[in-house]
Amino acid sequence: MMKRNMKQAKSGRMLPSFLALLLGSGLAFNAQANTSTLKVCAASDEMPYSNKQQEGFENQLAKILADTMDRELEFVWSDKAAIFLVTEKLLKNQCDVVMGVDKGDPRVATSDPYYKSGYAFIYPADKGLDIKNWQSPALKDMSKFAIVPGSPSEVMLREIDKYEGNFNYTMSLIGFKSRRNQYVRYAPDLLVSEVVSGKADIAHIWAPEAARYVKSASIPLKMVVSEEIAPTHDGEGVRQQFEQAIAVRSDDQELLKEINTALHKADPKIKAVLKDEGIPLL
């Protein structure tokens, strides 16, 4: 809480106690009034999650959350990628919550998960392919995989000995930009369009960010969610499915309880938005 220094009146006497009490009550009232607003940090241009026009599915979920909590929603926008929202916004007290973090993120306190999904294979439905997982034989005959570097997809490409041959294609998707000290986003609509155009044999990306573009594609596409843990030669495996939650600062336990109550109450509305988006729920 912000501390205030007591000021003396011109006569040299302290403010009367009743006035101090009134000031204290006013401060308490103002602090309480602030709880009527839910500040949500969001990316200003990172579809399908969020944009300033509030067209993303996370924008819709934030509205449902605030409405269920009987709070006024205020978006705190960031022009940087959503991966920076926790460190550069939430932990600097510029907002109350961040939507769509992995359950158990160690940097924050996370809510009960409001959905679970996974990385998915995306390919033309008319190809007659039978792809269920990373061990599917059809993958051996493919040469161009639309993936995001640094993701579980890249790890599995290395596992099936397809990474080296796919490297130049992956870099071509961002014009061979240098990634040194720079974050470059592989836009999900671009990755899906590579499959639609036939430039990529298949895509393997996080299903929630691809679903909207799979649904609106000009040709029918199949989207098959990977197994929860993809086996690897070292026996450790690579996780492919994740629970999504809401992040608050670790000491905001009362807010966290309120959010959890609202999530359970609003679950049917939340699921309706996710299903309309086309996101495969697990």
Side-chain angles (χ1 to χ4, degrees):
M1 293 180 63
M2 181 175 66
K3 294 182 178 178
R4 293 177 178 266
N5 294 321
M6 292 297 291
K7 294 183 179 179
Q8 290 185 331
K10 289 182 179 179
S11 63
R13 291 177 296 178
M14 298 295 292
L15 287 171
S17 59
F18 74 90
L19 182 56
L21 287 172
L22 285 176
L23 288 172
S25 298
L27 289 173
F29 176 80
N30 289 335
Q32 180 65 28
N34 289 337
T35 64
S36 65
T37 300
L38 185 69
K39 290 186 176 181
V40 177
C41 277
S44 62
D45 184 20
E46 191 156 321
M47 292 296 281
Y49 301 111
S50 171
N51 67 7
K52 277 192 175 179
Q53 292 72 43
Q54 301 178 27
E55 298 168 325
F57 73 85
E58 282 186 355
N59 298 139
Q60 297 179 58
L61 297 180
K63 292 174 185 177
I64 292 172
L65 178 67
D67 183 63
T68 306
M69 295 171 70
D70 197 24
R71 294 194 185 205
E72 183 178 343
L73 175 62
E74 177 184 337
F75 283 112
V76 178
W77 300 107
S78 172
D79 291 332
K80 291 188 176 182
I83 62 169
F84 300 112
L85 289 176
V86 168
T87 56
E88 298 194 9
K89 293 293 184 181
L90 180 65
L91 297 183
K92 292 183 178 179
N93 298 312
Q94 294 185 34
C95 62
D96 303 316
V97 304
V98 172
M99 307 293 293
V101 302
D102 289 347
K103 172 67 176 175
D105 187 320
R107 303 171 297 172
V108 292
T110 55
S111 71
D112 294 338
Y114 56 95
Y115 79 96
K116 180 180 181 180
S117 193
Y119 281 78
F121 295 99
I122 299 167
Y123 54 92
D126 63 0
K127 293 295 185 180
L129 300 172
D130 182 23
I131 297 176
K132 295 184 174 66
N133 51 46
W134 283 100
Q135 291 73 49
S136 297
L139 296 179
K140 296 179 181 179
D141 298 325
M142 296 180 180
S143 60
K144 290 186 178 179
F145 296 75
I147 66 160
V148 175
S151 70
S153 310
E154 179 183 309
V155 178
M156 293 310 300
L157 272 191
R158 294 178 185 274
E159 189 69 20
I160 64 171
D161 295 325
K162 290 290 184 177
Y163 176 77
E164 298 298 334
N166 198 68
F167 180 81
N168 284 342
Y169 168 68
T170 300
M171 290 298 102
S172 73
L173 294 174
I174 54 169
F176 291 90
K177 294 177 184 177
S178 171
R179 298 177 65 241
R180 181 175 174 80
N181 299 321
Q182 179 184 7
Y183 173 77
V184 179
R185 188 182 188 224
Y186 283 69
D189 55 338
L190 170 64
L191 299 183
V192 173
S193 72
E194 289 289 295
V195 175
V196 172
S197 67
K199 294 178 182 177
D201 298 313
I202 195 169
H204 189 265
I205 52 182
W206 177 235
E209 70 174 355
R212 177 175 300 199
Y213 309 113
V214 170
K215 185 177 178 180
S216 63
S218 59
I219 64 171
L221 297 174
K222 287 196 69 173
M223 183 162 58
V224 180
V225 178
S226 293
E227 65 270 59
E228 185 159 12
I229 305 292
T232 54
H233 291 105
D234 60 12
E236 291 187 6
V238 176
R239 179 167 294 280
Q240 307 277 291
Q241 299 175 8
F242 298 88
E243 292 179 312
Q244 297 299 282
I246 294 170
V248 303
R249 288 177 291 277
S250 296
D251 58 355
D252 265 343
Q253 292 301 311
E254 288 302 315
L255 175 59
L256 186 63
K257 291 178 183 178
E258 188 180 350
I259 287 173
N260 281 333
T261 298
L263 286 176
H264 289 284
K265 184 177 180 181
D267 185 68
K269 292 181 180 179
I270 291 171
K271 292 300 192 295
V273 169
L274 297 172
K275 288 179 181 177
D276 184 64
E277 185 75 11
I279 296 173
L281 302 177
L282 303 172

